[in-house]
Amino acid sequence: MRMKDRIVPIPQKYTALPGDALILGTPGKANFRIVNETCTDCCAVSASADKLLRDTLGGLLGVCPCTADGEIVITLKLADAPAGVQNPSQGYSLLITDRAVTVTGFGAAGLYYGVVTLTQCMAVENGVLALEPCDILDWPDLRTRGHFMESRYGSNLMTLDDWKEVVDHMASMKQNQLVVSVYGCWCVQYDGRVSEYLYVPIRRYPKLRTPVVKRYWSPKRNAWVDEEVDVPMVKDDFFGDLIAYGKTKAVEVLPLFNSYGHNTLIPRMYPEVSSKFEDGEPTLTGFCTREEKTYEILFNIYDEIIDRYLKPNGIESFHIGLDEVWEGIAQNAHDIYRKRNNFCKCPKCRDASKDDLYIEHAIRLMKHLKERGMKNIYMYHDMLIKHDAHGTGVDATEKMMHAIDEAGLRDVAVIDWWTYSDYQESLMFQTTHPEQGLRRTVKPWNGYYHWNIISYPLKNIYLLGKMAHEEGCEGMQSYSAWDKSYDRSHVAQADYAWSFENTGSVADVTRSYAKARFGAQAERAERALKLLDFTMQTLPGTDPCGGQKAPSNYTIMMSMLAYYFYSYVRDGKPYPRSFPGEAMAAMLPSRELYESAIQAIAAAARESEALWREIAGDARVNTELARRYAWEAAHAKVLAEDYLALFTLYDLNGSGKLCACRAKKMAAIAGERKLARLALMDEFERTKEEFLAASHMRNHSIFMQFFADLEAYLTRTPAEEIRLDFTDFSGIASEQFMKLR
């Protein structure tokens, strides 16, 4: 395997040099010594670079790098960047000759990135640790690269060590910005509660608290998990520690605290600041932005976050969110079908346009944050563009630009442009308006819905990377929920943000990824990845549902077969929703189309799983990732096979008059599906992190309990009395099944 193939992200300039390979040592013996010309005592990032190098060499050779005194000198140093290097403080050069290795950072971050590249080049092969002579000059296209971590499933149970792993993972890809959503709210879903998330303790407002419900069957414990716990980041108050740790790896950690949209907790606890219905009743969602008490509470919260976490760590960035401000149902648990609007209708607000209210609020927040020393204030774009279904209905980007200028905020305001389609024509926007001169960053997504089913949106990442590259944006910051199974998405994003022109097509990314992570098994890995992509394949334009064509595989798997989206309240449907009856009701009228698509998905998933299990048996490759991908393929297979089994059961049920033989056969199929899901759940607990269990396993438990209930019903009920409605299984649902819903 070529050394260059191991480097992530792809470097800007790599020149292979003539000469023999440089031998750094053999197992148990070092042939190198490290000379660090930087000050590790006064620079935490330089210290981290030094430690990374020593830990990697020591781990590969089984030696102590601190006492190594070999012939080959590995030098770490700082110097000025040569002409033509963008974002020079993050650039570096790496020179490997047949006699020495020199890593030169053009800033502390650049030094760290140079060491990351050097360590990626290292591998013990044929009993030696050797490096190919080369000359690398490297720097990032975009100044900021990283992830926005949503306050949602998984991250709500991450410990400080879990968060540190995220930082380490990002730093290994030369990503430098982690935005943590410390406040965000959605709608009623599980447990009849509004989904609300607060990740920092607010001492001034102790009523603001969002515990986590854990409810699922655990094969490892052979018992139901049913408890309510505090968010670890709140319980242990470690947001400041995470920020400090990020700084040691050149990763800036900053908060997002939403308001207006995604905001029910504060107005529910403090209804005096809530938006109002026309009659003055609090909607318990959104704010009255012409009520001074609103800003008293918001600014007190902002100031507490700044004073406790940001200023002590030298952080000067803050994200204010402000996305998806619209009317909707399920914003309150007591009347889930009532529509509530984030925009206030009180006498002070009712005659103002939504644009004016929105921009007025955004400007007031940014002015306060600038006064508090924030130099990078991010806000979302979506309420500023023509977006008739949910927003202003007019393009307000120019209006926002003038408001930013009038308030003297042009130097600090950064518009965060997000859109998640895989196809150019379906993007929410076609430009970030560089002609307006505002600072801008783009936001693809990493797949996000890991608790539902994994997808890999490399096309979306490419499109946003291309736009950022062509329009001169300053950064790329994905919309994310954390799961290491998104590794390919993260590598793609790192590549496109660092060196867009060198990265190539989406197919090129998959090929280079397979080489970097799975070396000797690269061809098998590339095939297995393409099969996974097929199971979640998207289609351009609108997916037609019915007559001529089934939806895309992505729509079938994500929105129809998997459970999560049935946890949402929908107008005209009972709640909890009928599951899996609602899915069957949608598919049965066009069964042939759906069944054919699901059979193809199942076949691709089976082959992918088999390939990953072969790859995981090769100790030369990243076996941990191979096992994760094997589980993801198994998940897609089990999900597809569950519904193929339901189609078979539907046929066996026929007109509903069953004989004992058919009833027994149906019970056996239901039992097989229960066991298949339990096996998947068992493997999950042996493959993935504990913080992911509550969100993943609840949805799996719903499938498991459904088939357990169906098996029990078919076994215990006399054949002549069995009555099944495949569009509504509520008649056979156990109390446990409904509790999970």
Side-chain angles (χ1 to χ4, degrees), residues 53-65:
L53 178 60
R54 293 177 189 274
D55 287 351
T56 303
L57 286 165
L60 288 171
L61 295 176
V63 300
C64 178

Side-chain angles (χ1 to χ4, degrees), residues 591-605:
R591 173 180 169 176
E592 184 177 346
L593 290 171
Y594 281 102
E595 191 168 13
S596 176
I598 295 170
Q599 285 171 339
I601 290 168

Side-chain angles (χ1 to χ4, degrees), residues 645-654 666 669-670 707 710 714 726:
L646 281 171
F647 286 134
T648 299
L649 290 168
Y650 178 82
D651 291 339
L652 286 169
N653 187 61
M666 291 173 70
I669 292 172
F707 282 112
L710 181 57
L714 290 166
F726 278 75

Side-chain angles (χ1 to χ4, degrees), residues 569-597:
V569 180
R570 290 291 181 260
D571 269 326
K573 296 184 182 296
Y575 196 80
R577 307 256 292 277
S578 173
F579 184 82
E582 194 175 321
M584 292 296 287
M587 292 188 290
L588 284 171
S590 302
R591 173 180 169 176
E592 184 177 346
L593 290 171
Y594 281 102
E595 191 168 13
S596 176

